[in-house]
Amino acid sequence: MGAIIFTVSLALIFPLVGLKSYVNEIVIISESLMIVFSYKLMIKRLSGPVTFFLGLLVGLFWGVALFSSVGVIYNIN
């Protein structure tokens, strides 16, 4: 969980210091970490394939939300 918070912080800080070109990579890393985190969180209660696809959906929504929030905050096109 700490790594996810760290990557979100980086995604929000990088545009401030002029590193807008690296935001995509940071968000992709954060999205991947969220997929793994949600998979590990749900594997105890659900079957493997269901958990995998739910993890992908959670990661997808996480990535879209993070891209949207960074884009709106810093007006990145």
Side-chain angles (χ1 to χ4, degrees):
M1 186 70 173
I4 295 171
I5 294 170
F6 179 70
T7 55
V8 169
S9 312
L10 285 178
L12 293 173
I13 291 172
F14 272 22
L16 287 176
V17 295
L19 298 172
K20 290 180 184 177
S21 61
Y22 294 108
V23 171
N24 289 343
E25 288 82 7
I26 296 298
V27 171
I28 290 169
I29 292 169
S30 181
E31 182 179 5
S32 302
L33 289 170
M34 185 56 108
I35 290 170
V36 171
F37 178 72
S38 62
Y39 178 80
K40 286 185 176 186
L41 190 65
M42 292 186 286
I43 192 66
K44 298 174 185 170
R45 295 188 180 107
L46 301 171
S47 67
V50 173
T51 303
F52 176 73
F53 288 116
L54 284 175
L56 286 178
L57 283 175
V58 168
L60 174 71
F61 288 128
W62 179 260
V64 169
L66 190 54
F67 270 127
S68 298
S69 62
V70 170
V72 166
I73 291 171
Y74 297 109
N75 196 17
I76 299 173
N77 295 329

